[in-house]
Structures are given as structure tokens and as C-alpha cells.
């Protein structure tokens, strides 16, 4: 008698690693080369959103590619160098805090990814995007993959490049203005960052005025002025 397959949930979450299957499938359909694209910095209160696009060399894929959030600082730095050395093409782009405020973070993120794809010196025929949305205006076919940085090695590579570049930019901001500790929290809403904002206020063109707490504070000031 055949043993029945259990329908019980696994005791431990099985964490999948990204592979090259989506890319190979697209290549078999005639859509080579294939680029992966991803962004870093959608959630912080300060700094740009940075995107990267990467066309991997199928014969020289760096080992250990994964979602940048699942890697350590040292692993990201090592893989960043490997990606730049081994990939067929790499491009980076960003949208500033002012640009984010003028549209919204989703549109700014998609625009940064579009710019990164357009900046590749090799034109891809297919671009794989992390998330649910394909950036509008791509010069090639596009496909969105939910949790793509954990499924596609090309997207994972792009996530690493975007994360490393944005972190380096925020460290530069920290050196330029030491009051906020940008080199520690990278612009995210940590207790230290919020405390610094309460003491020193927002930095023009660096903090995102459309994000809370800045938007809430601005709305409160308008209400007070209306009552005067």
C-alpha cells in the first residue's frame, strides 16, 4: 500500500535560494540577454531610492547570490565586487528625496529601475523586476516576480548592487553631517534617527518631506496657522 503524503505544514520554513531558471526559460524563448532589476531604500525617512540592473554571464555566475536582506554586510561587499567583475553589464540609477516627494515612493522606485535598465551598455530583451509591478517605459519586455530577489539570481545580483551603493551614499551623508548617524541606520526610522530629527529638524533635499513624521508635522502646522 502506497504511503500517503502528509498534509501537515513543515516544522521549519524552507528558505529557497535564487537560481537561473527564469533567465534560462526567457533565453530559450529568444529573449536573450536577460537583465534583473531591483531597488533599495523604499522605506527610509531620508536619502534616495537606488536601483540596479544586472545582466549576468551564465557561465560566470557568482556563488552565494541571494536577497541582499538575507546577506551580511561582508557577504554583500564581496558579492558586489564579484558581480562587477563577472557580469556582462551592470547599471545603477537613483531618484532623490525631492523626486520621491514629487511623485510617490512606488513611482520613484519604478522610475529608478527604468533608468537603471536604460543605462545598461548591453540592451536586454527581457527584464525581470522584483515585486508586483513592471516599470513603465522599459526598452524591452518586462516581467514582475514577487520575491524575485529570492527566486532569480539576476534580481538577487541587482538587489545586492543597489543595497551596497545606497549604503555607501548614506555613509557619505553621515560624514557630511554627523548629527544624524546616517552611516549607522542608512536613513531608516530608528530611535536615534527620530531623536536627531526632533532636535535638529529635517535636512532639506535629504529627508523625505512626504513621509511621516514630516508630513504629519507639516499638516499640524497648517492647522495651527488656520486657527490663528
Amino acid at each position: 500500500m502506497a504511503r500517503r503524503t502528509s498534509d501537515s505544514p513543515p516544522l521549519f520554513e524552507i528558505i529557497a535560494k535564487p537560481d537561473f531558471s527564469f533567465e534560462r526559460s526567457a533565453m530559450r524563448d529568444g529573449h536573450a540577454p536577460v537583465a534583473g532589476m531591483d531597488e533599495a531604500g523604499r522605506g527610509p525617512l531620508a536619502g534616495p531610492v537606488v536601483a540596479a540592473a544586472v545582466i549576468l554571464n551564465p557561465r560566470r555566475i557568482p556563488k552565494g547570490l541571494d536577497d541582499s536582506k538575507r546577506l551580511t554586510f561582508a557577504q554583500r561587499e564581496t558579492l558586489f565586487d564579484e558581480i562587477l567583475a563577472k557580469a556582462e553589464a551592470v547599471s545603477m540609477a537613483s531618484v532623490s528625496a525631492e523626486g520621491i516627494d514629487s511623485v510617490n515612493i512606488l513611482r520613484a522606485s519604478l522610475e529608478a529601475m527604468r533608468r537603471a535598465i536604460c543605462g545598461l551598455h548591453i540592451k536586454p530583451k527581457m527584464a525581470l523586476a522584483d515585486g508586483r509591478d513592471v516599470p513603465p517605459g522599459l526598452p524591452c519586455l518586462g516581467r514582475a516576480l514577487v520575491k524575485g530577489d529570492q527566486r532569480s539570481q539576476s534580481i538577487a545580483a541587482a538587489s545586492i548592487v543597489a543595497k551596497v551603493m545606497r549604503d555607501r551614499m548614506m555613509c557619505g551623508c553621515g560624514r557630511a553631517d554627523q548629527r544624524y548617524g546616517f552611516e549607522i541606520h542608512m536613513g531608516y526610522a530608528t530611535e536615534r534617527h527620530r531623536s536627531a530629527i526632533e532636535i535638529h529638524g529635517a535636512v532639506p533635499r535629504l529627508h523625505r518631506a512626504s513621509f511621516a513624521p514630516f508630513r504629519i508635522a507639516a499638516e499640524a502646522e497648517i492647522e495651527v496657522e488656520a486657527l490663528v
Side-chain angles (χ1 to χ4, degrees):
M1 181 177 179
R3 184 176 180 179
R4 295 179 58 187
T5 302
S6 172
D7 58 359
S8 299
L11 292 175
F12 305 100
E13 181 183 1
I14 300 175
I15 301 177
K17 294 292 184 180
D19 58 30
F20 207 65
S21 59
F22 292 100
E23 292 86 341
R24 294 195 187 282
S25 176
M27 292 164 66
R28 285 194 297 270
D29 291 338
H31 303 310
V34 180
M37 52 184 169
D38 200 1
E39 50 72 29
R42 287 184 64 164
L45 300 179
V49 59
V50 177
V54 177
I55 298 176
L56 291 174
N57 183 334
R59 295 175 297 278
R60 301 184 68 202
I61 298 176
K63 294 182 179 179
L65 291 177
D66 202 348
D67 173 4
S68 63
K69 297 183 292 296
R70 302 200 300 198
L71 299 171
T72 65
F73 172 84
Q75 288 173 327
R76 288 194 298 268
E77 289 288 329
T78 297
L79 284 167
F80 177 85
D81 291 338
E82 280 198 64
I83 293 165
L84 295 189
K86 296 180 178 180
E88 293 184 349
V90 179
S91 174
M92 292 155 271
S94 66
V95 173
S96 68
E98 288 181 308
I100 293 168
D101 291 335
S102 68
V103 286
N104 59 54
I105 187 58
L106 174 59
R107 289 174 62 186
S109 299
L110 295 175
E111 172 60 14
M113 286 193 282
R114 185 195 69 81
R115 293 178 186 178
I117 287 291
C118 291
L120 290 167
H121 72 274
I122 298 174
K123 184 177 179 180
K125 290 188 178 180
M126 168 71 78
L128 303 176
D130 180 45
R132 299 182 180 277
D133 302 292
V134 175
L138 291 178
C140 61
L141 294 175
R143 179 182 178 183
L145 294 176
V146 176
K147 293 187 177 181
D149 48 10
Q150 299 179 21
R151 303 167 66 191
S152 159
Q153 288 178 323
S154 296
I155 297 178
S159 78
I160 292 166
V161 173
K163 171 65 174 170
V164 170
M165 286 304 301
R166 187 181 187 279
D167 283 357
R168 291 180 180 182
M169 294 168 71
M170 295 310 296
C171 286
C173 292
R175 289 190 294 271
D177 191 333
Q178 300 178 10
R179 298 175 297 172
Y180 296 85
F182 291 122
E183 72 283 1
I184 298 173
H185 51 66
M186 307 304 168
Y188 284 87
T190 63
E191 183 177 350
R192 173 173 179 175
H193 191 188
R194 287 181 175 273
S195 297
I197 292 170
E198 291 179 3
I199 296 170
H200 305 293
V203 178
R205 302 178 64 186
L206 182 59
H207 280 107
R208 302 174 181 180
S210 59
F211 278 40
F214 311 113
R215 184 187 69 254
I216 295 172
E219 291 172 352
E221 288 181 6
I222 292 173
E223 290 179 0
V224 170
E225 291 176 358
L227 293 174
V228 175

